[in-house]
Amino acid sequence: MIKLDYTNISQKVIGEQGLDINQAFNDYSIRIQEIITNLNMNKDKPGFWLQWMNLGYREETVWYVKEFAAMVDGRFDNILVLGIGGSSLGGLALSEALLKPWWNLLDKEQRDNFPRIFFLDNIDPDEISGLLNILDLKKTLVNVITKSGSTAETMAQFMIIKDRMHKLLGDDYRKNIVATTDKQTGILRQLANEEGYKTFVVPDDVGGRFSVFSAVGLLPLALVGIDIDEIIRGIKIMDLTLKNTDIRKNIAAQNALIHFLMDTQKGKHISVMMPYSSRLKYFPDWYAQLWAESLGKAYNKNGDRIENAPTPLKAKGATDQYSQMQMFNEGRSDKIITFIRIERFENELTIPNIFEYTGVNYLGGKSINRLMNAEIDAASVTLCDYKRPNLTVILPKINEYYLAQLFYLYEVQTAIAGELYNIDAFSQPAVEHSKDYTYALMDRLGYEESANELREKITKNKEVIGLN
Ligand code: PA5
């Protein structure tokens, strides 16, 4: 199992900036018990948006995903995933971590005959054009993912690519498209029905940012040969562990409480996520969306105006020791830092003993793995010297089983944090607000009134200063 080391948030280590952990666990043990019991009691009830807690047990999804992956095996050179936010970040983060590094640069044999994979999660015209220049669309399977079926960014990407495919392949283009969307509603569902695309379902009551273990994440992963049975095994074991209502035995509850108390009692309003692994470089992106969209809410469940939850900040070790770490140590004391430590990397690399110079010869003969772990220890002790709270999530190694545990742990932690803050963690009103503005500005039917208001807001009081 993965582990959580919270030594460096305790008062014993960082003085007043730290927490009396024992006391905190005692004070909140009953509340945590209630929260975990309620989450598990409500998970099957419609409207609670907790169906993500059941994704580890949906055997039929795994079966359909594997069946489709087997059916298209060998037919495509590329998988192109279209989607944004929760429809993209989980698959991106997991595939980057689980595939061999530099996957898309490897030849077919090195990829064990599995396709390359590309995630298009933006509407940058240069990026899209560049990608279309290098992809042979005839040999590309497009997985378009949108739960609502109408997100402008995703649908715009899809329309551009579908049009090109149609021109290139005639009516056969349909065989190169698989859509993941709501089972009944939305424009993409309607289109898929009319045009006859193969489809997968984003289950009811699973929000985008909690959908990584539905077909949203599992399908792209299976298509490139990632072992989704092992992913399911990882979710199940973590789910079982996190059902424990005793805070002393539940790391999701511990980490949620630590972040909650650090934010509300110690002024730590920024939560830094810093894996010491390049393969985990997109995990902080996934975490940032999960945490920010779930916990950044203006009102609590009683309707009171609030400001809460630490803002997520992405970092990567050891790289950011030479970028942001100076500020983490000596800047404003408003951060709690999470390190992710990999106990065993897949490779062991020895630094050769090739230079005599005393300045660098201490490195010679040692492994670069040891250097990585020295960096993480050095960084966390330095933070403690500056009285900055930090904790470490320890992964025995990077594989499907442990990563599923990690992602599921953070989903549960976020849900528990939502309850501690007494907010609805499963809505995203501000995201919808700006989505609606985009529709209005792009002349979508039904948004005419807000379009006029909006144009006025954009031009009013505008001051643009340029150099002559
Ligand atoms: O977490 C969420 O619900 C959002 O981030 C969505 O994933 C994002 O807005 C994309 O929505 P959709 O899947 O409907 O295109």
Side-chain angles (χ1 to χ4, degrees):
M1 294 292 288
I2 64 177
K3 290 178 264 177
L4 176 69
D5 176 353
Y6 51 75
T7 315
N8 296 341
I9 53 110
S10 104
Q11 269 173 1
K12 283 187 214 136
V13 180
I14 56 168
E16 270 179 22
Q17 295 300 311
L19 298 172
D20 180 338
I21 290 287
N22 211 17
Q23 188 64 45
F25 286 179
N26 285 342
D27 292 348
Y28 279 85
S29 71
I30 303 225
R31 180 75 191 108
I32 290 293
Q33 222 169 46
E34 275 169 13
I35 291 176
I36 297 172
T37 307
N38 285 341
L39 283 173
N40 282 289
M41 240 167 50
N42 293 332
K43 74 186 170 60
D44 298 315
K45 295 188 189 157
F48 279 77
W49 289 90
L50 290 171
Q51 276 296 331
W52 53 271
M53 294 179 78
N54 292 323
L55 294 176
Y57 305 93
R58 287 192 168 231
E59 280 166 23
E60 74 287 0
T61 307
V62 178
W63 195 87
Y64 284 129
V65 162
K66 285 192 334 196
E67 185 204 38
F68 181 73
M71 221 169 71
V72 298
D73 187 29
R75 271 183 47 202
F76 297 102
D77 287 347
N78 312 301
I79 306 297
L80 173 57
V81 180
L82 309 179
I84 198 163
S87 287
S88 159
L89 285 165
L92 173 68
L94 277 171
S95 61
E96 181 71 23
L98 292 170
L99 292 173
K100 291 177 192 165
W102 316 111
W103 180 257
N104 287 346
L105 298 181
L106 302 179
D107 63 35
K108 218 169 166 177
E109 205 175 303
Q110 291 166 318
R111 285 186 271 114
D112 303 319
N113 291 323
F114 286 107
R116 299 183 200 90
I117 186 160
F118 299 87
F119 286 82
L120 209 46
D121 68 350
N122 203 356
I123 41 167
D124 181 322
D126 296 337
E127 186 190 35
I128 298 175
S129 306
L131 185 61
L132 290 177
N133 284 340
I134 59 166
L135 284 188
D136 177 357
L137 288 181
K138 282 188 190 155
K139 294 193 175 151
T140 300
L141 177 67
V142 174
N143 182 196
V144 51
I145 309 176
T146 161
K147 179 178 170 68
S148 62
S150 56
T151 302
E153 294 83 350
T154 307
M155 291 312 284
Q157 294 171 339
F158 180 57
M159 286 153 86
I160 291 171
I161 287 159
K162 187 242 151 177
D163 181 53
R164 293 204 184 196
M165 276 189 156
H166 201 169
K167 285 180 179 143
L168 202 70
L169 293 161
D171 281 347
D172 265 359
Y173 82 91
R174 294 182 178 88
K175 294 184 186 151
N176 291 37
I177 291 173
V178 51
T180 308
T181 189
D182 188 84
K183 71 172 182 295
Q184 266 172 332
T185 61
I187 299 163
L188 184 61
R189 170 57 61 188
Q190 202 181 321
L191 275 172
N193 289 346
E194 279 167 16
E195 308 226 340
Y197 308 147
K198 168 78 187 164
T199 60
F200 283 85
V201 168
V202 188
D204 290 343
D205 287 337
V206 176
R209 56 190 175 277
F210 287 86
S211 68
V212 58
F213 296 126
S214 71
V216 169
L218 295 183
L219 180 62
L221 298 177
L223 288 168
V224 288
I226 289 168
D227 186 346
I228 62 172
D229 288 325
E230 274 296 288
I231 290 185
I232 297 297
R233 200 167 72 85
I235 309 168
K236 279 185 179 158
I237 187 91
M238 195 41 111
D239 182 52
L240 216 63
T241 313
L242 299 183
K243 279 192 163 63
N244 198 321
T245 56
D246 178 355
I247 187 163
R248 289 193 158 72
K249 299 195 175 124
N250 187 318
I251 57 174
Q254 292 168 357
N255 212 6
L257 182 64
I258 287 167
H259 279 76
F260 171 72
L261 294 176
M262 278 290 173
D263 176 36
T264 53
Q265 295 184 359
K266 304 286 175 184
K268 309 304 173 202
H269 302 313
I270 296 177
S271 162
V272 178
M273 177 57 72
M274 190 166 181
Y276 272 62
S277 154
S278 291
R279 296 175 79 171
L280 290 186
K281 69 173 172 229
Y282 294 122
F283 176 72
D285 292 69
W286 177 83
Y287 163 73
Q289 192 225 358
L290 178 74
W291 191 256
E293 276 191 10
S294 301
L295 303 181
K297 298 290 155 65
Y299 297 94
N300 66 16
K301 287 185 188 170
N302 309 328
D304 305 323
R305 185 84 181 80
I306 45 157
E307 266 183 31
N308 58 268
T311 304
L313 183 68
K314 306 178 257 180
K316 185 180 82 186
T319 316
D320 279 313
Q321 281 184 210
Y322 299 91
S323 165
Q324 304 183 79
M325 194 55 96
Q326 169 65 30
M327 187 171 254
F328 296 168
N329 281 305
E330 291 195 359
R332 190 171 285 143
S333 182
D334 56 359
K335 298 169 199 69
I336 170 166
I337 290 119
T338 302
F339 296 115
I340 298 185
R341 181 186 195 120
I342 314 301
E343 278 184 328
R344 207 157 13 97
F345 285 84
E346 208 169 302
N347 295 282
E348 174 98 17
L349 261 186
T350 304
I351 308 164
N353 223 331
I354 51 172
F355 294 127
E356 294 289 300
Y357 309 102
T358 46
V360 288
N361 67 357
Y362 70 96
L363 292 169
K366 295 184 183 123
S367 77
I368 206 153
N369 308 52
R370 177 172 163 190
L371 179 60
M372 188 64 125
N373 283 332
E375 301 267 2
I376 198 167
D377 286 339
S380 68
V381 175
T382 307
L383 282 166
C384 293
D385 289 348
Y386 284 98
K387 311 288 178 225
R388 305 294 159 108
N390 62 93
L391 32 80
T392 305
V393 175
I394 303 162
L395 250 69
K397 61 192 280 202
I398 291 185
N399 64 16
E400 285 85 345
Y401 180 64
Y402 293 121
L403 280 191
Q405 291 183 20
L406 178 71
F407 279 64
Y408 191 72
L409 166 69
Y410 271 90
E411 289 182 341
V412 177
Q413 178 184 318
T414 304
I416 295 174
E419 292 305 309
L420 288 169
Y421 284 108
N422 188 29
I423 51 152
D424 174 6
F426 303 106
S427 63
Q428 53 283 325
V431 177
E432 307 301 339
H433 190 120
S434 113
K435 253 188 181 181
D436 287 349
Y437 276 173
T438 306
Y439 294 147
L441 289 174
M442 295 301 282
D443 309 321
R444 186 173 173 182
L445 216 66
Y447 292 80
E448 299 78 359
E449 228 173 89
S450 61
N452 294 334
E453 240 175 73
L454 191 52
R455 289 207 171 88
E456 215 180 291
K457 278 191 194 169
I458 291 171
T459 44
K460 208 165 100 186
N461 304 328
K462 198 164 195 91
E463 284 180 48
V464 181
I465 300 171
L467 296 177
N468 288 323

